[in-house]
């Protein structure tokens, strides 16, 4: 398990010395062992503590060891105080390591939460971009081109059908124009174009008009038979505009399809621009994702390292050579 406390022994001993040689700590040691009893009667505590600091000595022996010494007139007192100082260094080192490991863990947890928030925001931006530019994205170009081809095939069929319907309408209009020349009024006039025998509607209209003309010469305008014949003629003539309606519907469909082709072509043309924008968003997302993964890995390692420090199974100071009298 990699520790999160990586300071060198020189830095660690210097930091611990500053804490242990502080007035509150040394004052407790003085009270605990009854040091400087006569001096305390004549001198202020500040001077006594300053003298005691001068009698405490630390020195780095090698990269994993250091020496602590305390000078006193009484050998037993010197031994006991030195032991106490050594224990204080060990205890303070453990406390500092635990606090530092815990602080590192908390820091990484905060950074991880911030990275998670930034990553979530970037994911939201990516999703919003894709929704706002649906159909214009680079991966949709092939589908758009295929759609354009399909619509153009539909247009081709529709244009051919429209041309056929227009020809049919022109033929019906010519035949209706011929029928407008009442046979009773112009019995000898020959039509410029023969009536299309394949068009039952025209034949029915022609027959209905003859029937109306014939009745009109034999009965009064209010006669029921003449009224019925005229109504039948009107019903037949109303069927002619159906061709116009069909042409209008197909023309509208043609306009819609051409608009769809233009729309899809515009999407294909916009794809390179959307690709540039998407690359920028994706690059930022991938960067944030790498940062998040790195922090997550460090955070998990930090939690293990922090747990290692708490039961004192990580690095710690141990007294190698206890002070002797």
């Amino acid at each position: 398990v990699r520790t999160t406390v990586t300071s060198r022994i020189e830095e660690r001993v210097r930091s611990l010395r500053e804490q242990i040689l502080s007035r509150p700590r040394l004052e407790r040691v003085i009270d605990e062992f009854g040091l400087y009893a006569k001096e305390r009667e004549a001198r202020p505590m500040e001077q006594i503590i300053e003298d005691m600091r001068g009698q405490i000595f630390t020195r780095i022996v090698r990269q994993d060891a250091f020496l602590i010494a305390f000078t006193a007139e009484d050998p037993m007192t010197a031994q006991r105080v030195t032991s106490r100082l050594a224990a204080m260094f060990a205890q303070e080192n453990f406390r500092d390591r635990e606090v530092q490991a815990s602080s590192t863990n908390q820091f990484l947890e905060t950074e991880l939460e911030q990275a998670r928030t930034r990553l979530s925001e970037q994911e939201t931006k990516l999703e919003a971009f894709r929704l706002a530019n649906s159909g214009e994205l680079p991966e949709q170009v092939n589908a758009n081109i295929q759609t354009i081809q399909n619509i153009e095939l539909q247009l081709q069929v529709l244009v051919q059908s429209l041309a056929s319907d227009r020809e049919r309408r022109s033929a019906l209009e010519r035949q209706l124009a011929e029928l407008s020349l009442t046979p009773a009024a112009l019995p000898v006039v020959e039509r410029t174009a023969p009536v299309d025998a394949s068009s039952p509607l025209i034949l029915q209209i022609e027959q209905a008009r003859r029937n109306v003309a014939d009745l009109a010469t034999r009965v009064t305008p209010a006669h029921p038979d003449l009224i019925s014949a005229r109504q039948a003629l009107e019903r037949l003539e109303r069927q002619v505009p159906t061709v116009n309606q069909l042409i209008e519907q197909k023309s509208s469909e043609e306009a819609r399809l051409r608009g769809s082709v233009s729309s899809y072509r515009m999407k294909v043309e916009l794809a390179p621009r959307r690709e540039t924008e998407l690359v920028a968003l994706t690059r930022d997302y991938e960067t944030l994702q790498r940062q998040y993964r790195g922090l997550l890995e460090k955070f998990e390692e930090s939690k293990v390292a922090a747990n290692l420090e708490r039961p004192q199974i990580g690095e710690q100071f141990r007294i190698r050579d206890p002070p002797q009298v």
Side-chain angles (χ1 to χ4, degrees):
V1 177
R2 290 187 295 180
T3 178
T4 56
V5 183
T6 57
S7 57
R8 298 166 56 190
I9 189 171
E10 295 89 346
E11 300 169 349
R12 203 179 308 173
V13 171
R14 183 165 53 250
S15 174
L16 293 171
R17 180 183 171 90
E18 291 176 357
Q19 298 177 54
I20 292 171
L21 298 191
S22 64
R23 173 172 175 166
R25 300 286 182 86
L26 292 183
E27 196 168 350
R28 284 198 295 269
V29 174
I30 291 172
D31 293 338
E32 180 181 352
F33 294 100
L35 304 177
Y36 311 106
K38 294 181 180 180
E39 288 83 348
R40 281 191 286 174
E41 294 177 358
R43 300 172 60 195
M45 182 59 74
E46 289 80 1
Q47 294 179 5
I48 294 173
I49 288 175
E50 192 62 34
D51 291 344
M52 186 176 182
R53 287 181 181 138
Q55 294 168 336
I56 298 174
F57 174 74
T58 58
R59 176 171 61 85
I60 304 299
V61 178
R62 55 178 187 267
Q63 290 303 313
D64 62 348
F66 67 100
L67 177 144
I68 302 174
F70 176 70
T71 303
E73 294 180 358
D74 178 57
M76 184 64 71
T77 300
Q79 187 269 344
R80 292 171 62 197
V81 173
T82 304
S83 296
R84 183 73 179 91
L85 291 173
M88 290 172 66
F89 267 89
Q91 293 170 0
E92 196 62 35
N93 175 67
F94 165 69
R95 187 180 297 109
D96 279 1
R97 289 181 63 88
E98 184 179 12
V99 169
Q100 187 172 348
S102 178
S103 298
T104 302
N105 192 48
Q106 291 176 1
F107 169 77
L108 287 173
E109 186 176 13
T110 301
E111 289 295 309
L112 181 65
E113 186 60 33
Q114 292 176 354
R116 184 184 292 112
T117 301
R118 292 193 298 268
L119 183 62
S120 178
E121 290 173 351
Q122 193 66 19
E123 288 175 348
T124 302
K125 288 181 181 178
L126 265 173
E127 183 181 1
F129 178 83
R130 290 184 178 278
L131 289 174
N133 299 283
S134 179
E136 301 174 5
L137 301 177
E139 62 266 24
Q140 297 173 318
V141 169
N142 292 334
N144 289 340
I145 292 175
Q146 184 63 45
T147 302
I148 290 172
Q149 293 173 350
N150 293 337
I151 295 176
E152 287 178 341
L153 288 175
Q154 295 178 39
L155 266 173
Q156 184 178 358
V157 173
L158 184 63
V159 168
Q160 292 174 354
S161 177
L162 264 173
S164 176
D165 290 341
R166 289 189 177 109
E167 289 178 1
R168 182 185 173 202
R169 182 179 64 181
S170 298
L172 287 173
E173 288 175 348
R174 287 195 302 270
Q175 293 171 21
L176 287 172
E178 292 180 6
L179 292 179
S180 64
L181 301 175
T182 306
L186 299 171
V188 187
V189 176
E190 185 179 353
R191 295 186 178 85
T192 57
V195 173
D196 186 3
S198 64
S199 177
L201 177 61
I202 295 299
L203 295 177
Q204 292 175 21
I205 292 175
E206 182 177 20
Q207 182 61 41
R209 286 186 176 179
R210 287 176 177 173
N211 187 33
V212 169
D214 180 59
L215 287 172
T217 60
R218 294 187 290 107
V219 298
T220 63
H223 195 279
D225 290 344
L226 181 57
I227 294 174
S228 177
R230 284 174 177 169
Q231 291 175 346
L233 175 61
E234 290 175 358
R235 284 196 297 271
L236 289 171
E237 289 178 339
R238 278 199 297 270
Q239 296 181 32
V240 176
T242 304
V243 178
N244 292 329
Q245 293 172 0
L246 185 61
I247 291 174
E248 289 176 1
Q249 291 173 0
K250 291 184 178 180
S251 297
S252 299
E253 180 66 10
E254 179 187 12
R256 187 188 69 79
L257 291 176
R258 293 190 185 280
S260 296
V261 169
S262 299
S263 175
Y264 278 100
R265 283 177 178 165
M266 180 65 70
K267 292 177 180 180
V268 172
E269 293 172 0
L270 287 173
R273 183 190 304 177
R274 299 294 178 246
E275 183 176 16
T276 302
E277 298 169 352
L278 187 60
V279 165
L281 283 172
T282 304
R283 182 173 57 245
D284 293 342
Y285 173 73
E286 291 174 350
T287 300
L288 289 172
Q289 198 173 44
R290 285 194 299 270
Q291 292 175 353
Y292 175 76
R293 288 174 179 170
L295 283 170
L296 181 60
E297 182 179 353
K298 291 179 181 178
F299 175 64
E300 294 299 330
E301 292 177 354
S302 174
K303 284 198 299 184
V304 176
N307 292 334
L308 189 71
E309 297 294 340
R310 293 189 183 100
Q312 299 190 45
I313 57 176
E315 282 188 22
Q316 56 182 298
F317 290 158
R318 290 183 174 88
I319 297 176
R320 179 165 185 160
D321 294 322
Q324 304 297 321
V325 177

